[in-house]
Amino acid sequence: MTVDVIVPIAGAVPAARRCIESLLAVPQRTSFGVIVVNDACPDAATVGWLRTLAEQRRIALVEQPMPQGLAAALNRAVALHRGLDRDVVIVRADTEVCGDWLDRLARHATHGDVGTVMPFASSGASIGYPRSDRANAMPRGHTLATLDAVFHRANAAAAAALPLAFGPCIYVRRECLNAIGAFSAGPNAADDGVLEDFSLRASGAGFRHVLAADCYVWRDDPGASRDSGDRMWAALDKRHPHGRVARAELAQRDPSRPFARRVDLLRLAESSNQLILFIAHAWGGGIRRHMDELAAMVGERCNVLLLEPAQGDVVKLSWLREGEGFAAYFELPGAIDDLLRLLGELGLVRIHFHHVHGLPRAVLDLPRAANVPYDCTLHDYYAICPQYHLVTEQGRYCGEPDVQGCTTCISRRPALWGLGITAWRAAFAELLASADRVFAPSADVQRRIARYMPSVEVTLLPHAETQPAGPRVVRVATLGALSPEKGLRVVAACSDDARARGLPLAFRVLGSTTEPLPQWPHAALSVHGQYAEAELPALISAERPDVIWFPAQVPESYSYTLSAALASGAAIVASALGAFPERLASHPRATLLSPDASAREWNDALLDAGGAVIASRASAPRRAIS
């Protein structure tokens, strides 16, 4: 049987050439042909290259002179061989495959009730790796070829049933295509949602979706915004009531998790980097920042795992690296042998204690049981104080009373593990005494520990800090109650555009909104809420916006909020409508745009206006403080 591999190309897709070259690079045991649908691609060089491939009979090329969308492109390609009973694989043009990828997918499509088969993908899929909730970067030290090979070794011939399957590479059996019918345009006739809609229709008709756990593909795509995805799913839920249940099942049960963890463990086991285990509480804060920075500093030569409390006596083991999804859980002390066995198989060489709050006492035995050296960092005073911060019930420094005073304190606020003050300090004196190194970030910590544990050598080592320089963000404010007439939907669209393009813009609504708007952290936007009119000048002064924005969609007859903006001296961007052009004619830092301007045009104008303000502030001489 021959499989049709369909690649729809619409806009200018820089990765399209890499996609098709990857499809043609490796012969497959499964007979296949590549069908490229040119949906009015504007890139003449790409179109010329495709026509050359078609002339060489390396691909079949379907050309649509006018853009018709993803669903129409797929339907035209599927119809080419409708009577030949061919399965199809849909590969998005920004996706690359590797090795015998098609053979692996085809092996999972042999059962009659299977509708679709999908591999793990980097982004844009119901199942992603290392995580399914984001667009993933390629894991450090890997290429598509090496990571796909790890999937092949870790999960050879393994598969899992899925309640929902969509992504940049989907194998669809012809029987499913014939039963379900043509692909349908997504909500609002958009390309987003086409494959999701097909998946839900297929599962509703009784077809199964399968994850090929031994295959991985790469998609060169940053992923859609969360807001547009939420709107798409809201529309699909109206078409397919079972869709919400399928997504909830996928999120809660996640059948891919065991297979992704196998890949994580194989990557760790085969890595040439040394393995270090950090032990800490789960509170985050300064300790988590220090661990993150420390892990990043040694990341080129070490893999760092983190052991932290989960619930009760259950601890969570995770990979302390940005973007990684590995997590495993152990109940201590009952499962300590399982934890030790895993750490031994991964090649653990050192443990580093950062804190113990919330952890079972058995963690203190890990260095001895694992037979590895260890270090301790004293981020606070946990070694001498069960309250960690030498603090009274009233939140003040306790003055470090005698043993009786500490005992009284513990009687009201019991210590972790039910220890008294003498047993507590003895346990940590033993831990610190056997450590290779004990670090204190300040001389104060060093001196206080020395008073209680004079035999413990504590090294003063201030935390190494990294201060990444973030972009200078342009602060944009709108004034007053924001309604559709005042530009509410323009603000929402600009917030989406800023997030999609990674623009250094922060939108602030100084006032209320007549409709809810996505806010931080889901959008670069926040809402102050209602204010008294007399408070507006002080509010503008406190917020210090770089630009005040009036995206009105109807003519303003005057606008008192514009008066407040003019009095503030801020840069102003406004619609060239109503009273704005005449009132801003003499303002030296005013920009006017058509009210019909696109979100991109508005944002570019806001960046230009705000950038000039920031530049002028940076160059202004600073007054000396006398």
Side-chain angles (χ1 to χ4, degrees), residues 147-429:
L147 188 56
D148 179 59
V150 174
F151 272 88
H152 201 175
R153 293 197 303 277
N155 299 318
L162 299 175
L164 185 65
F166 60 87
C169 178
I170 298 290
Y171 187 113
V172 186
R173 292 183 62 247
R174 177 63 67 164
E175 183 179 347
C176 180
L177 281 170
N178 293 340
I180 302 306
F183 290 93
S184 299
N188 302 318
D191 285 350
D192 291 338
V194 171
L195 298 179
E196 292 86 342
D197 173 81
F198 184 86
S199 175
L200 291 169
R201 288 160 58 201
S203 58
F207 287 94
R208 290 193 301 119
H209 304 298
V210 173
L211 170 68
D214 55 354
C215 191
Y216 171 85
V217 301
W218 167 258
R219 187 180 190 189
D220 185 15
D221 175 64
S225 73
R226 174 169 176 167
D227 297 328
S228 62
D230 288 346
R231 289 193 292 270
M232 178 196 73
W233 283 115
L236 285 176
D237 287 342
K238 294 179 181 178
R239 291 187 189 177
H240 311 287
H242 68 288
R244 191 185 303 273
V245 176
R247 295 203 313 283
E249 180 184 351
L250 191 64
Q252 295 167 10
R253 188 171 62 85
D254 190 1
S256 72
R257 188 177 295 121
F259 304 103
R261 297 299 77 85
R262 290 181 191 174
V263 172
D264 293 330
L265 292 173
L266 190 55
R267 285 174 54 209
L268 285 166
E270 293 183 346
S271 173
S272 60
N273 289 356
Q274 292 188 323
L275 186 72
I276 299 173
L277 176 67
F278 285 179
I279 296 176
H281 60 50
W283 280 342
I287 292 180
R288 182 55 185 259
R289 172 179 170 175
H290 175 70
M291 291 191 301
D292 287 341
E293 293 181 337
L294 199 56
M297 288 170 60
V298 302
E300 292 299 325
R301 58 186 188 278
C302 298
N303 292 321
V304 180
L305 298 184
L306 171 64
L307 192 72
E308 60 185 335
Q311 185 175 13
D313 288 335
V314 176
V315 297
K316 175 185 177 183
L317 183 70
S318 59
W319 195 341
L320 196 60
R321 182 190 287 175
E322 176 65 28
E324 297 293 351
F326 169 70
Y329 296 84
F330 303 86
E331 185 173 4
L332 300 184
I336 193 167
D337 289 341
D338 295 332
L339 173 60
L340 290 168
R341 186 180 306 109
L342 176 60
L343 293 173
E345 291 172 352
L346 297 179
L348 180 68
V349 298
R350 181 172 290 273
I351 293 174
H352 193 146
F353 284 90
H354 290 273
H355 215 285
V356 296
H357 175 77
L359 289 162
R361 188 175 179 181
V363 298
L364 300 184
D365 299 326
L366 283 176
R368 176 190 54 78
N371 193 30
V372 296
Y374 66 97
D375 304 313
C376 297
T377 292
L378 302 171
H379 294 273
D380 54 31
Y381 305 95
Y382 73 84
I384 57 175
C385 173
Q387 314 303 344
Y388 310 144
H389 300 291
L390 304 172
V391 62
T392 67
E393 291 176 275
Q394 292 73 38
R396 303 293 298 274
Y397 170 51
C398 68
E400 299 177 56
D402 58 16
V403 169
Q404 182 56 50
C406 291
T407 300
T408 302
C409 174
I410 291 175
S411 69
R412 294 193 294 267
R413 294 181 293 164
L416 182 69
W417 310 327
L419 297 179
I421 189 63
T422 301
W424 178 273
R425 290 173 178 163
F428 285 100

Side-chain angles (χ1 to χ4, degrees), residues 15-186:
R17 185 182 293 256
R18 296 194 299 272
C19 169
I20 294 171
E21 287 175 343
S22 74
L23 294 173
L24 300 174
V26 179
Q28 308 288 317
R29 292 184 179 179
T30 304
S31 175
F32 75 100
V34 176
I35 302 173
V36 178
V37 183
N38 172 19
D39 190 25
C41 174
D43 186 351
T46 298
V47 173
W49 178 69
L50 292 174
R51 289 171 179 167
T52 299
L53 291 180
E55 291 170 1
Q56 296 169 349
R57 298 193 175 184
R58 301 186 67 195
I59 66 170
L61 180 61
V62 177
E63 302 211 55
Q64 299 181 157
M66 297 294 291
Q68 298 182 38
L70 177 60
L74 295 178
N75 289 331
R76 283 201 64 182
V78 168
L80 286 181
H81 301 132
R82 188 179 301 278
L84 299 181
D85 197 31
R86 292 186 176 184
D87 294 348
V88 306
V89 183
I90 301 163
V91 179
R92 301 300 289 261
D94 50 10
T95 303
E96 294 177 61
V97 299
C98 189
D100 61 342
W101 67 279
L102 181 56
D103 294 334
R104 280 175 274 162
L105 294 184
R107 279 196 292 267
H108 296 290
T110 56
H111 298 289
D113 61 343
V114 171
T116 69
V117 180
M118 67 168 291
F120 278 90
S122 60
S123 67
S126 52
I127 299 297
Y129 182 86
R131 296 174 58 170
S132 294
D133 59 351
R134 62 180 60 187
N136 295 286
M138 180 62 69
R140 182 188 299 168
H142 278 283
T143 64
L144 170 58
T146 63
L147 188 56
D148 179 59
V150 174
F151 272 88
H152 201 175
R153 293 197 303 277
N155 299 318
L162 299 175
L164 185 65
F166 60 87
C169 178
I170 298 290
Y171 187 113
V172 186
R173 292 183 62 247
R174 177 63 67 164
E175 183 179 347
C176 180
L177 281 170
N178 293 340
I180 302 306
F183 290 93
S184 299

Side-chain angles (χ1 to χ4, degrees), residues 364-604:
L364 300 184
D365 299 326
L366 283 176
R368 176 190 54 78
N371 193 30
V372 296
Y374 66 97
D375 304 313
C376 297
T377 292
L378 302 171
H379 294 273
D380 54 31
Y381 305 95
Y382 73 84
I384 57 175
C385 173
Q387 314 303 344
Y388 310 144
H389 300 291
L390 304 172
V391 62
T392 67
E393 291 176 275
Q394 292 73 38
R396 303 293 298 274
Y397 170 51
C398 68
E400 299 177 56
D402 58 16
V403 169
Q404 182 56 50
C406 291
T407 300
T408 302
C409 174
I410 291 175
S411 69
R412 294 193 294 267
R413 294 181 293 164
L416 182 69
W417 310 327
L419 297 179
I421 189 63
T422 301
W424 178 273
R425 290 173 178 163
F428 285 100
E430 181 180 353
L431 179 73
L432 300 186
S434 299
D436 268 14
R437 296 165 297 187
V438 179
F439 302 115
S442 68
D444 183 82
V445 176
Q446 186 184 42
R447 286 192 299 267
R448 291 182 196 273
I449 297 298
R451 288 205 298 268
Y452 295 87
M453 302 172 185
S455 62
V456 174
E457 182 179 347
V458 179
T459 301
L460 177 60
L461 185 67
H463 293 330
E465 295 187 51
T466 59
Q467 296 290 348
R472 294 296 298 270
V473 174
V474 174
R475 296 168 295 182
V476 179
T478 63
L479 309 181
L482 190 62
S483 64
E485 296 81 3
K486 300 285 189 179
L488 181 143
R489 297 192 179 106
V490 177
V491 173
C494 287
S495 175
D496 284 346
D497 176 66
R499 188 176 182 87
R501 292 199 282 152
L503 302 180
L505 287 169
F507 297 93
R508 179 75 161 154
V509 178
L510 298 184
S512 58
T513 63
T514 59
E515 298 175 9
L517 289 175
Q519 296 187 50
W520 183 268
H522 307 307
L525 185 148
S526 60
V527 178
H528 176 275
Q530 290 182 327
Y531 57 83
E533 184 177 351
E535 297 171 349
L536 182 56
L539 186 57
I540 294 174
S541 179
E543 295 281 347
R544 297 190 68 207
D546 299 309
V547 184
I548 298 179
W549 183 26
F550 295 89
Q553 298 299 290
V554 297
E556 291 271 9
S557 61
Y558 184 73
S559 179
Y560 283 111
T561 52
L562 177 59
S563 300
L566 288 166
S568 74
I572 297 174
V573 175
S575 296
L577 192 65
F580 289 136
E582 61 191 85
R583 295 199 65 198
L584 291 172
S586 61
H587 187 63
R589 293 187 294 168
T591 303
L592 294 171
L593 268 71
S594 165
D596 297 327
S598 67
R600 176 180 286 268
E601 291 169 329
W602 278 116
N603 280 344
D604 289 346

